[in-house]
């Protein structure tokens, strides 16, 4: 089976002659092929979106919201199908796939309220007979480039808000797991989106470069690694587009001496090893304040890792599935080897994990390092796998300094019973999303997601109010009518009299 594109409401097989393999990560088998779009196919998708834009933008917001209500209903009806598509191509366990879809539906819920969200402001009589008001209007053709780790959730972070605001959209999902995003777009068309409003082109860098430089594209949304986020932001901005490009992360969780260590250990297990660590909000650094805390925390994590069920994602007993590709597995394993060479203590080595029925799958067991230091590569770089490193610090000041010095600032967390310490941490830490006794502080759909420093390129986070502001432009109107206009020309700068 070959997955093609979806342009102007119709499936397109793909004509470039270039294909990519889609694997089942649990078995290593190639299950599908995906067509890589040519520049001509990208141009056709953008042209369809541009042609559909005027009529769609002119639709009343309430009418666009009705499509979002219908989309929500269809996604819920097809939940099991979508979850299995995610697991089959990404590898994450079914329960995690279901959780990511549930969180994605929060954004569709938010988009259902678009008439309220697009309301402007009005000031009567700012001058004699003069009124002033603001409008929020769509920007035009928008592009979404989404990652492999959340093939349904991240597209739903983008296109529901974009099209509800009156824009048209071209989605370029990850070529590693394209079936779930393609199915979501099919459901959106079934929900009532007219042809051309939402399109899909699959592909690689050829498609990406064609999209982010196309003169008829107005805005680009991206989620992925920091290096690519920076490239997308720099290139698309240079071509006159507004850009939100969310990059990588190295998220720290600080564990204070007064913390509930069992709660903290359970939280770190889920945050570090859930989805095999393939999350931009995964906790990959545990910062233990004091050696006593570190010793106890490492012991508890080691005990829990011994019980971690690493199995194919579709196995009902699975707690952690495989990594997405053989190449990514090799990359993560190389980081583990690097950590050993750099002198970190490898307390739990997941490289020799044995998985029933997964001999040829892309499996790595949970890995735990202790005595990691800031000079090590495994501390500095995002690993994006099931690898947790423990850094020991003497006090919360050193913990804050550690986090604030890192070039990435996506998310962070603190575990403590002390409200003063938590409040000080929240105020001073340099990260975009902060959890207090919450390990993965992904905001709910009516707030916004976005990091600081080199975790976000651009001025707006994604979804929530930030998403509405990104996908719309503000227009301010100052008006008066002829009966209020005094006779004679005024050549001075206008003032409100």
């Amino acid at each position: 089976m070959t997955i093609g594109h979806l342009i102007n409401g119709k499936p397109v097989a793909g004509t470039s002659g270039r294909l990519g393999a889609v694997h089942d990560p649990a078995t290593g088998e190639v299950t599908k092929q995906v067509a890589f779009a040519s520049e001509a196919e990208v141009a056709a998708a953008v042209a369809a979106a541009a042609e559909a834009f005027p009529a769609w933008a002119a639709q009343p917001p309430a009418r666009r919201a009705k499509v979002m209500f219908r989309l929500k209903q269809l996604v819920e009806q097809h939940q099991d199908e979508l979850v299995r598509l995610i697991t089959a191509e990404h590898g994450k366990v079914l329960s995690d796939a279901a959780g990511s879809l549930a969180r994605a539906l929060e954004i569709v819920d938010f988009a259902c309220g678009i008439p309220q969200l697009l309301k402007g402001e009005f000031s009567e009589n700012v001058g004699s007979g003069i009124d002033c008001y603001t409008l929020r209007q769509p920007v035009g053709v928008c592009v979404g480039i989404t990652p492999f780790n959340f093939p349904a959730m991240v597209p739903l972070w983008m296109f529901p808000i974009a099209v509800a605001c009156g824009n048209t959209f071209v989605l370029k999902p990850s070529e590693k797991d394209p079936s779930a995003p393609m199915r979501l777009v099919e459901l959106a068309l079934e929900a009532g989106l007219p042809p051309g409003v939402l399109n899909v082109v699959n592909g690689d860098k050829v498609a990406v470069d064609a999209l982010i430089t196309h003169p008829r594209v107005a805005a680009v949304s991206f989620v992925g690694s920091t290096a690519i986020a920076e490239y997308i932001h720099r290139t698309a901005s240079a071509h006159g587009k507004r850009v939100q490009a969310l990059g990588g992360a190295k998220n720290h969780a600080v564990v204070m001496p007064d913390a509930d260590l069992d709660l903290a250990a359970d939280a770190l297990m889920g945050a570090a090893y859930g989805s095999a660590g393939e999350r931009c909000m995964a906790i990959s650094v545990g910062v233990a304040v004091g050696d006593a805390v570190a010793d106890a925390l490492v012991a508890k994590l080691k005990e829990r890792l011994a019980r971690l069920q690493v199995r194919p994602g579709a196995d009902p007993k699975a707690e952690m599935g495989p990594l997405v590709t053989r190449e990514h597995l090799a990359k993560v394993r190389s980081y583990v080897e690097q950590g050993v060479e750099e002198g970190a203590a490898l307390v739990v080595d997941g490289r020799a994990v044995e998985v029933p029925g997964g001999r040829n799958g892309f499996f790595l067991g949970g890995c735990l390092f202790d005595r990691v230091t800031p000079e090590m590569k495994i501390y500095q770089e995002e690993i994006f796998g099931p690898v947790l490193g423990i850094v020991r610090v003497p006090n919360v000041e050193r913990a804050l300094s550690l986090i604030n010095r890192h070039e990435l600032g996506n998310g962070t967390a603190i575990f403590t019973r002390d409200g003063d310490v938590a409040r000080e941490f929240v105020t001073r830490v340099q990260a975009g999303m902060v959890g207090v006794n919450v390990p993965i502080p992904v905001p709910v759909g009516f707030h916004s997601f976005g990091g600081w420093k080199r975790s976000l390129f651009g001025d707006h986070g994604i979804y929530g109010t930030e998403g509405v502001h990104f996908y719309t432009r503000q227009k301010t109107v100052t008006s008066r009518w002829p009966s209020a206009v005094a006779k004679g020309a005024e050549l001075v700068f206008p003032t409100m009299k």
Side-chain angles (χ1 to χ4, degrees):
M1 175 182 178
T2 300
I3 301 168
H5 320 296
L6 204 162
I7 299 173
N8 205 24
K10 298 177 182 178
V12 175
T15 59
S16 73
R18 298 186 304 116
L19 299 171
V22 179
H23 293 85
D24 178 349
T27 64
E29 297 176 355
V30 175
T31 57
K32 299 172 186 174
Q33 300 282 336
V34 58
F36 286 177
S38 65
E39 291 184 2
E41 287 164 328
V42 169
V46 174
E51 184 177 351
F53 172 67
W56 180 245
Q59 291 292 318
R63 194 169 297 168
R64 298 196 298 258
K66 286 182 180 178
V67 178
M68 295 299 102
F69 277 105
R70 178 64 176 148
L71 173 61
K72 172 179 164 60
Q73 182 183 36
L74 287 171
V75 172
E76 290 172 339
Q77 288 175 356
H78 291 268
Q79 176 179 336
D80 289 346
E81 174 194 358
L82 289 163
V83 164
R84 292 194 176 278
L85 285 174
I86 295 168
T87 295
E89 294 182 0
H90 174 270
K92 66 178 68 193
V93 301
L94 292 171
S95 58
D96 188 44
S100 70
L101 192 61
R103 291 302 305 269
L105 279 171
E106 293 178 5
I107 315 305
V108 185
D109 285 341
F110 181 78
C112 289
I114 208 67
Q116 168 71 17
L117 302 170
L118 293 180
K119 288 195 312 184
E121 300 173 322
F122 184 90
S123 295
E124 183 182 18
N125 222 37
V126 295
S128 297
I130 301 174
D131 301 326
C132 190
Y133 60 95
T134 60
L135 309 171
R136 296 215 70 91
Q137 296 185 322
V139 300
V141 178
C142 300
V143 163
I145 302 166
T146 58
F148 70 79
N149 59 325
F150 287 105
M153 187 172 76
V154 176
L156 288 175
W157 282 4
M158 296 178 184
F159 77 73
I161 298 177
V163 300
C165 286
N167 301 285
T168 54
F169 203 88
V170 180
L171 175 66
K172 205 303 285 184
S174 171
E175 67 278 14
K176 295 180 176 65
D177 44 11
S179 294
M182 179 66 82
R183 188 71 183 111
L184 283 173
V185 172
E186 291 171 351
L187 293 175
L189 295 176
E190 184 180 337
L193 287 182
V197 171
L198 181 58
N199 309 271
V200 182
V201 289
N202 285 298
D204 54 3
K205 191 175 185 295
V206 171
V208 169
D209 285 345
L211 286 167
I212 65 177
T213 60
H214 196 290
R216 301 183 79 177
V217 169
V220 177
S221 299
F222 171 82
V223 176
S225 70
T226 288
I228 304 302
E230 185 173 26
Y231 169 77
I232 295 282
H233 179 257
R234 183 176 64 249
T235 305
S237 296
H239 284 80
K241 295 147 196 356
R242 58 170 56 189
V243 186
Q244 54 178 192
L246 284 72
K250 198 68 178 179
N251 304 317
H252 300 64
V254 178
V255 183
M256 297 296 294
D258 67 333
D260 181 328
L261 288 186
D262 285 314
L263 169 67
D266 288 340
L268 286 176
M269 284 293 298
Y273 304 111
S275 198
E278 294 173 325
R279 294 171 176 160
C280 69
M281 286 297 284
I283 294 294
S284 55
V285 181
V287 184
V289 179
D291 284 334
V293 172
D295 291 343
L297 185 63
V298 167
K300 289 178 181 296
L301 290 167
K302 182 179 179 180
E303 175 189 345
R304 285 162 171 77
L305 278 167
R307 303 194 302 266
L308 181 66
Q309 294 294 310
V310 182
R311 294 170 177 264
D315 187 327
K317 296 181 180 178
E319 295 176 309
M320 189 178 88
L323 295 170
V324 67
T325 63
R326 193 177 308 279
E327 293 77 15
H328 189 57
L329 171 63
K331 179 181 177 182
V332 176
R333 288 177 66 96
S334 73
Y335 273 108
V336 177
E337 292 158 7
Q338 179 79 27
V340 173
E341 291 174 9
E342 290 177 323
L346 184 56
V347 178
V348 179
D349 186 351
R351 291 175 292 179
V353 65
E354 295 185 3
V355 177
R359 181 179 176 184
N360 297 316
F362 311 141
F363 289 96
L364 178 68
C367 298
L368 175 63
F369 280 103
D370 190 11
R371 301 187 182 278
V372 175
T373 64
E375 297 76 25
M376 296 177 179
K377 186 176 180 180
I378 61 168
Y379 171 80
Q380 295 170 354
E381 298 183 9
E382 182 179 38
I383 297 174
F384 223 61
V387 182
L388 175 62
I390 303 298
V391 178
R392 297 173 178 236
V393 297
N395 52 52
V396 71
E397 284 294 328
R398 287 286 294 276
L400 272 166
S401 175
L402 191 73
I403 298 167
N404 291 347
R405 287 200 313 266
H406 202 285
E407 68 171 3
L408 302 175
N410 207 43
T412 189
I414 187 169
F415 290 85
T416 182
R417 290 184 171 95
D418 190 321
D420 289 338
V421 168
R423 190 172 187 276
E424 183 78 0
F425 180 83
V426 168
T427 300
R428 293 173 55 196
V429 75
Q430 294 179 21
M433 293 163 284
V434 185
V436 177
N437 298 313
V438 173
I440 306 178
V442 175
V444 294
F446 45 89
H447 284 267
S448 299
F449 182 108
W452 285 17
K453 298 183 283 190
R454 289 175 58 78
S455 290
L456 173 66
F457 298 87
D459 297 324
H460 290 288
I462 202 166
Y463 69 74
T465 304
E466 288 275 280
V468 174
H469 288 176
F470 179 76
Y471 290 122
T472 59
R473 290 180 289 195
Q474 181 173 285
K475 180 181 288 181
T476 303
V477 182
T478 304
S479 69
R480 66 181 176 184
W481 300 99
S483 61
V485 179
K487 301 297 183 181
E490 293 185 0
L491 301 183
V492 300
F493 193 83
T495 59
M496 299 301 175
K497 299 175 182 178

